Amino acid sequence: MGRVLVTRRLPDGGLDPLAGTGHEIVGPNPDDTPYTSDELRAFAGGCDAIVSLLTDKIDADVLAAGAASNGGRLRVVANVAVGYDNVDVAAATAHGITVCNTPGVLDDTTADTAFLLILAACRLASTAESDLRSGRWSGWGVTQYLGRDVHGATLGVVGFGRIGRAVARRAAGFGMRVLHHARHDTNEPGYVADLDELLAESDIVSLHTPGGPDTLHLIDARRLALMKPTAVLVNTARGTVVDELALADALHAGRLFAAGLDVYEREPAIEARLLSAPRTVLLPHIGSGSQATRTQMATMATSAVATVLAGGSPPNVVIPDL
Ligand code: GLV
């Protein structure tokens, strides 16, 4: 029977698909701290499977340690996330190690979070609540906390996969005009081939691309400058998609109305200038964080492990970009 490293604590029920399989489960740390790179490498050398989180860097060294060519027996890495920019998929593929993720089960929950940020950022909810909590609210005033309307606004969705589409569906209920940009023409109403044009046209921009090198700083200082000064930027994708310092500069300078972020370039470190930026709603990467969805993500990952170790092929295998 196999040995499965589970790097971090999973929601209740997350390990159910491995129950009764006879596989030995190792990890996580009792206090749930992430393993270091050295620890991950050492585990990889003696495991058949790894159930990882996006906080684990499953890089070429970790994968090489588990590779059959180096005496290892690692067959599958199942990441409990739809994004897999923390896993070197090309290196895994070169070693014959399968990579799995959790597509499909978190689209609506993540789209709900995007809408939470759209609403909260447009209506200055964080600033208003923090004033109230700290005793700075002196009573109702007709000119206080004047935000931007979400209903009727033009929403630019960048990246039109499952989550981007789920956000667009919600926007229809708010009477919004929805534009979208994707690398390939969707042939659907609202498609804008030129990202710059979408940014210039939109009142609210919501990001839904994958992370990784292809989208690194897709929203940089030049592109932020194309946005309306009344516009709002929301990111529930990956922190690396936005140049955080450039965004902080734009917010401090009033060149952008507001921002709502759930993801950061160097999590859990948050850029100081972003923390002090005005009209900014900051969440700690809770996009898919409902009890039901996180449980589904965990069971999807662990059942992929059970399937691969039983010699089968799960539906959620990541196809490497060649
Ligand atoms: C969360 O960020 C995920 O990729 O599932």
Side-chain angles (χ1 to χ4, degrees):
M1 282 293 119
R3 197 157 191 254
V4 180
L5 170 67
V6 178
T7 63
R8 300 284 301 277
R9 196 175 295 152
L10 298 180
D12 287 348
L15 288 172
D16 285 359
L18 290 169
T21 57
H23 299 310
E24 180 198 356
I25 293 175
V26 292
N29 276 319
D31 64 355
D32 201 31
T33 49
Y35 290 116
T36 63
S37 299
D38 286 347
E39 288 171 325
L40 288 174
R41 244 190 333 268
F43 275 122
C47 283
D48 301 86
I50 299 178
V51 178
S52 55
L53 298 200
L54 53 85
T55 45
D56 303 307
K57 213 166 162 28
I58 310 296
D59 58 16
D61 288 346
V62 172
L63 292 157
S69 52
N70 294 325
R73 53 175 213 256
L74 186 60
R75 288 166 66 188
V76 55
V77 174
N79 208 39
V80 186
V82 68
Y84 46 84
D85 47 309
N86 59 310
V87 182
D88 189 333
V89 179
T93 307
H95 291 303
I97 299 166
T98 303
V99 178
C100 298
N101 66 339
T102 65
V105 295
L106 49 74
D107 306 338
D108 284 314
T109 303
T110 308
D112 287 351
T113 305
F115 244 85
L116 162 71
L117 284 171
I118 288 170
L119 289 163
C122 285
R123 297 297 302 277
L124 306 174
S126 282
T127 312
E129 186 183 4
S130 101
D131 280 359
L132 178 146
R133 285 181 182 276
S134 64
R136 284 194 299 266
W137 184 50
S138 54
W140 193 81
V142 74
T143 58
Q144 288 172 353
Y145 307 118
L146 301 185
R148 314 275 321 162
D149 278 325
V150 172
H151 68 270
T154 296
L155 173 69
V157 178
V158 179
F160 210 53
R162 284 176 298 255
I163 300 172
R165 285 166 190 268
V167 170
R169 284 197 297 277
R170 281 155 179 74
F174 277 80
M176 301 175 88
R177 170 180 172 235
V178 183
L179 306 175
H180 66 272
H181 169 80
R183 271 176 306 175
H184 306 293
D185 191 346
T186 60
N187 287 311
E188 291 176 52
Y191 176 69
V192 180
D194 182 358
L195 174 58
D196 291 2
E197 191 183 317
L198 174 136
L199 295 172
E201 269 283 303
S202 301
D203 300 309
I204 300 163
V205 172
S206 191
L207 304 177
H208 301 287
T209 65
D214 291 351
T215 55
L216 180 66
H217 289 185
L218 182 71
I219 306 299
D220 58 7
R222 183 189 71 78
R223 287 206 161 112
L224 286 165
L226 298 173
M227 293 176 67
K228 301 176 186 179
T230 50
V232 170
L233 179 71
V234 165
N235 188 9
T236 52
R238 282 292 180 267
T240 50
V241 179
V242 177
D243 180 339
E244 273 178 359
L245 265 182
L247 173 60
D249 283 347
L251 289 161
H252 279 284
R255 279 186 273 107
L256 202 62
F257 180 70
L261 306 178
D262 187 45
V263 288
Y264 306 90
E265 284 195 69
R266 285 167 288 277
E267 295 175 14
I270 311 293
E271 181 55 55
R273 268 182 72 68
L274 214 44
L275 286 171
S276 64
R279 301 174 307 281
T280 306
V281 182
L282 304 175
L283 296 179
H285 205 149
I286 59 166
S288 60
S290 73
Q291 185 82 45
T293 294
R294 287 278 168 84
T295 303
Q296 271 188 290
M297 290 163 67
T299 53
M300 190 172 190
T302 52
S303 67
V305 165
T307 302
V308 172
L309 295 189
S313 100
N316 46 325
V317 171
V318 172
I319 310 296
D321 277 340
L322 297 175

